[in-house]
Amino acid sequence: MSVKEQTYIMVKPDGVMRSIVGEIIKRFETKGYKLVALKMAVPSREHLEKHYEDLNGRPFFAGLINYMASGPVVCMVWEGRNVVLEGRKMLGATKPSESALGTIRGDFCIDVGRNVCHGSDAVESAQKEIALWFPEGLCEYEKPTVSWVYEN
Ligand code: IDP
Ligand code: MG
């Protein structure tokens, strides 16, 4: 498994308004993942509809787009071994009521329609989402602590 695997993590508008941005960054950072892109954005509805195109037609789709367009988001790309799957574990289940305590959604929210964060669900969707949100590219650098995070 590559230590260069990447996932797209986004703090949703409720996470920004409720001041959970630092907490979410901190969890990924202290776990050992490498931050390779970070920005704030106020995405257009068209951009959000593209991001969630797989959910178009679901009964909650319009509400989801309204929610996501209701304020700024914080966009990030985190890199590390198995980060897509592990990142989903760190977020918790889609429904906060089904998220274990200790996960971000388990600890910081109650309602599925206000679940504070997004994380890519597969390596392929991560690549699509990273290209959609960071067309300008990512930040390439070496972290000298890599051998303190990985044995090999
Ligand atoms: P995920 O964010 O855990 O990948 P998805 O099924 O991809 O979950 O749904 C995307 C987002 O749509 C969820 O994070 C949540 O904000 C919203 N959502 C999903 N299901 C529902 C629902 O039943 N009611 C309201 N919002 C929902
Ligand atoms: Mg999803």
Side-chain angles (χ1 to χ4, degrees):
M1 248 172 281
S2 166
V3 303
K4 298 282 184 194
E5 186 174 303
Q6 295 172 338
T7 193
Y8 177 65
I9 300 292
M10 172 166 58
V11 185
K12 296 179 177 182
D14 50 336
V16 174
M17 295 302 180
R18 295 184 49 219
S19 308
I20 307 169
V21 174
E23 180 67 35
I24 293 172
I25 293 175
K26 181 171 152 230
R27 289 186 180 212
F28 280 86
E29 192 175 40
T30 54
K31 174 80 175 170
Y33 295 124
K34 179 181 169 187
L35 183 63
V36 293
L38 172 72
K39 67 181 175 189
M40 235 177 161
V42 181
S44 68
R45 302 179 75 84
E46 292 70 29
H47 190 91
L48 292 164
E49 283 166 7
K50 179 100 187 116
H51 173 76
Y52 281 125
E53 66 185 359
D54 292 352
L55 299 173
N56 200 336
R58 303 290 284 274
F60 57 83
F61 188 73
L64 172 61
I65 300 301
N66 286 339
Y67 159 44
M68 292 300 299
S70 65
V73 296
V74 175
C75 314
M76 293 174 264
V77 179
W78 289 93
E79 186 177 281
R81 188 174 290 157
N82 216 13
V83 69
V84 173
L85 186 67
E86 294 296 324
R88 292 282 292 191
K89 284 191 210 164
M90 290 167 65
L91 261 54
T94 302
K95 290 184 184 163
S97 61
E98 295 172 359
S99 301
L101 296 178
T103 65
I104 292 165
R105 288 167 173 167
D107 287 350
F108 298 116
C109 57
I110 297 169
D111 194 355
V112 66
R114 297 288 185 271
N115 62 357
V116 304
C117 54
H118 166 83
S120 309
D121 64 5
V123 171
E124 197 185 26
S125 50
Q127 286 167 352
K128 276 174 64 178
E129 291 171 5
I130 291 166
L132 177 67
W133 290 91
F134 287 99
E136 67 272 33
L138 310 177
C139 190
E140 282 183 36
Y141 64 104
E142 296 302 323
K143 272 196 120 167
T145 49
V146 67
S147 66
W148 297 104
V149 177
Y150 301 102
E151 183 184 6
N152 46 48

